[in-house]
Amino acid sequence: MYLQQQDQDILNAINGEAKRQSEGLELIPSENYVSHAVLEANGSILTNKYSEGYPGKRYYGGQEFTDQVERLAIERACKLFNATFANVQPHSGAPANLAVYAAFLKPGDTVLGMDLSHGGHLTHGHPMTLPAKIYNFVTYKMKNTETGEIDYEELRRVAIEKKPKIILAGFSAYSRTLDYKKFVEIAKEVGAITMADMAHIAGLIAAGVLRNPFDDGFDIITSTTHKTLRGPRGGLILLREDFPNPFGYKNAKGEDILMSTLINSSIFPGIQGGPHMHTIAAKAVAFGEAMTPAYKEYAAQILKNAKAMEAVLKRENIRMIGGGTDNHLILADVFGSLGVTGKEAQTVLDEVGITLNMNSIADDTRKPLDPSGIRFGTPAITTRGFKEAECARVAELLIETLRNKDNAEKKAQIKAEIKSLAEKFPIPEKFV
Ligand code: DSN
């Protein structure tokens, strides 16, 4: 209403994006649709407030209601993930990870994480990132790219040799289950702490349909809140249990500083200023939604839907890295299977209304800007209400599009089918 009068240009772009989101199918596995309750909190007047510090210990006045909001978000996050401590202030996943590194490491200290080319994330040590310029990242990989099995012997060997302070489990393009117990055993052997970056699968863990790394003894979880968790764009840091840090950082009284204290001061004032209280309120709303039985059903359906897509790819002889999926995503070698590059696939699928992303595959011989693979998943279409039958059909349409990438008539037919599927399943406004 106000934008209409004040800023037609921005309103037009927002309306264009709304139309794109509603007419197309969103298969980027890190995206989702939030409820209008989450949108309302995120767009609220809490954006006007500065609240540096933490509930009860702020640097500015007027915090009666912001304290309520942040306390609720913390309480709900802890309940949802079986954690005893939560910092809900990270602006997103990258600052959450940086804050954990900065809390515990000195420049030059070592982190052992999953190789980016085998599914890890940029923030786990890509040479162009700030953390990689400050800390020493060493990596582990899959032992077998056809099954996705991690090379735990190599992980242990590197851990013993390089003595990392943090062993990091987590990924953005890996479709199998990690053996968290093995990570914990190896970390204990070398005196490292364990950190799980669960950004992609946080919602599946919260719902109990995937294993919680805390149940196997992980120390720290970092996450974003906007992927399977279906909240606003933001980050989160959790501790299973608080304990005095094992790295010898002392307070003024000469006592070992608690892990929670190091994390809190690493976020503020370490790397962030004022928290985004409107986003924290929206996180609290999303955490509330994730506690409902309906959300558990949603999370279980994400997995069933991914399996339905996997079955079609198997039937059509499309190679999947890891041989298939145990979670919400699939990484397919479209260059090896169909002779279509990841970039070509992304472009032609965009044309018919299927949005996904090109992605490097393990040991890719092609460059990251025109890789061999595509990555796609089911969180957003499951939010729309898609079940196995519709997901299988989407997988068929995806493959059909790639097989007919130069056939304009065929692509027009597919586009029409995608649009009518999307119309049949409008984006919901509420989940509870
Ligand atoms: N960009 C996110 C993803 O798509 O996996 C991770 O940061």
Side-chain angles (χ1 to χ4, degrees):
M1 177 168 69
Y2 292 96
L3 275 178
Q4 176 95 42
Q5 290 163 10
Q6 187 179 319
D7 199 328
Q8 198 63 48
D9 294 338
I10 286 293
L11 181 64
N12 288 345
I14 293 172
N15 287 342
E17 174 62 12
K19 186 166 182 307
R20 188 196 69 81
Q21 288 188 13
S22 88
E23 289 183 357
L25 296 185
E26 185 53 73
L27 296 191
I28 294 175
S30 48
E31 294 189 12
N32 215 329
Y33 308 107
V34 298
S35 68
H36 282 216
V38 167
L39 279 181
E40 212 171 290
N42 209 34
S44 70
I45 45 73
L46 287 165
T47 195
N48 296 337
K49 189 72 193 113
Y50 257 125
S51 310
E52 286 96 329
Y54 291 96
K57 279 185 282 176
R58 309 271 191 195
Y59 289 83
Y60 292 32
Q63 306 293 348
E64 185 184 349
F65 300 104
T66 50
D67 275 4
Q68 280 178 25
V69 165
E70 190 165 347
R71 282 197 175 107
L72 276 169
I74 291 170
E75 193 185 299
R76 290 178 191 176
C78 286
K79 195 161 167 209
L80 207 47
F81 290 95
N82 207 10
T84 56
F85 161 88
N87 185 309
V88 294
Q89 293 192 5
H91 296 328
S92 201
N97 286 346
L98 175 60
V100 171
Y101 303 146
F104 305 120
L105 305 179
K106 296 210 166 69
D109 279 348
T110 300
V111 180
L112 172 56
M114 192 191 280
D115 194 285
L116 178 65
S117 72
H118 278 224
H121 187 250
L122 281 173
T123 56
H124 304 170
H126 186 283
M128 285 179 72
T129 60
L130 178 66
K133 294 184 170 87
I134 304 175
Y135 311 112
N136 175 38
F137 285 84
V138 290
T139 56
Y140 56 88
K141 289 185 173 183
M142 285 178 269
K143 185 178 189 171
N144 180 347
T145 53
E146 302 314 305
T147 63
E149 189 197 348
I150 298 292
D151 193 342
Y152 291 103
E153 293 86 27
E154 176 67 358
L155 196 160
R156 179 169 178 267
R157 193 194 62 69
V158 178
I160 291 169
E161 184 191 328
K162 303 286 183 186
K163 304 252 169 306
K165 278 192 170 169
I166 297 176
I167 296 185
L168 174 49
F171 48 78
S172 63
Y174 179 74
S175 58
R176 290 305 193 183
T177 309
L178 297 175
D179 187 341
Y180 300 123
K181 280 200 179 101
K182 285 215 169 96
F183 282 87
V184 170
E185 271 165 33
I186 296 168
K188 283 205 173 117
E189 196 178 341
V190 300
I193 55 170
T194 39
M195 165 180 173
D197 177 346
M198 294 292 104
H200 263 261
I201 56 172
L204 304 172
I205 291 171
V209 299
L210 286 187
R211 197 163 173 79
N212 186 336
F214 282 160
D215 292 343
D216 289 323
F218 262 67
D219 298 310
I220 302 169
I221 289 180
T222 58
S223 184
T224 50
T225 49
H226 49 270
K227 298 186 173 91
T228 45
L229 197 46
R230 214 162 56 179
R233 306 199 76 79
L236 180 64
I237 304 173
L238 304 161
L239 280 178
R240 177 174 51 89
E241 277 172 10
D242 203 2
F243 55 93
N245 82 89
F247 306 120
Y249 302 116
K250 308 273 184 200
N251 64 17
K253 293 186 205 149
E255 299 155 343
D256 289 325
I257 306 173
L258 286 173
M259 299 281 280
S260 58
T261 308
L262 287 173
I263 289 172
N264 277 348
S265 55
S266 186
I267 282 287
F268 173 80
I271 64 163
Q272 290 189 175
H276 295 179
M277 294 309 306
H278 54 301
T279 311
I280 292 173
K283 287 177 191 176
V285 174
F287 298 156
E289 290 174 357
M291 287 169 186
T292 60
Y295 184 85
K296 286 192 198 324
E297 267 174 48
Y298 160 66
Q301 191 65 45
I302 290 178
L303 297 185
K304 289 185 209 159
N305 286 351
K307 279 286 177 204
M309 294 185 105
E310 176 199 80
V312 174
L313 270 78
K314 276 192 178 145
R315 189 188 74 207
E316 298 296 322
N317 290 319
I318 309 292
R319 176 176 177 244
M320 288 172 277
I321 309 307
T325 184
D326 297 325
N327 57 29
H328 63 301
L329 73 81
I330 289 174
L331 182 57
D333 176 7
V334 284
F335 188 66
S337 307
L338 300 166
V340 182
T341 73
K343 187 176 179 183
E344 285 170 339
Q346 180 182 300
T347 307
V348 71
L349 288 164
D350 252 341
E351 278 174 39
V352 300
I354 293 179
T355 311
L356 47 61
N357 65 281
M358 58 181 168
N359 214 101
S360 295
I361 59 170
D363 309 316
D364 208 332
T365 50
R366 303 185 60 84
K367 298 259 179 299
L369 277 176
D370 192 9
S372 299
I374 52 172
R375 187 190 67 152
F376 56 96
T378 52
I381 51 175
T382 305
T383 291
R384 282 182 99 128
F386 280 43
K387 298 276 196 303
E388 290 94 319
E390 291 81 23
C391 288
R393 184 65 191 141
V394 172
E396 286 168 358
L397 291 172
L398 187 160
I399 297 165
E400 241 174 285
T401 305
L402 300 184
R403 288 194 171 131
N404 292 279
K405 70 181 174 54
D406 300 316
N407 181 339
E409 200 183 325
K410 185 77 192 162
K411 284 191 293 183
Q413 274 171 20
I414 294 173
K415 186 172 179 164
E417 187 173 342
I418 299 280
K419 188 159 177 263
S420 83
L421 246 184
E423 278 165 4
K424 222 167 121 195
F425 293 89
I427 300 168
E429 296 182 357
K430 56 193 201 128
F431 307 126
V432 290

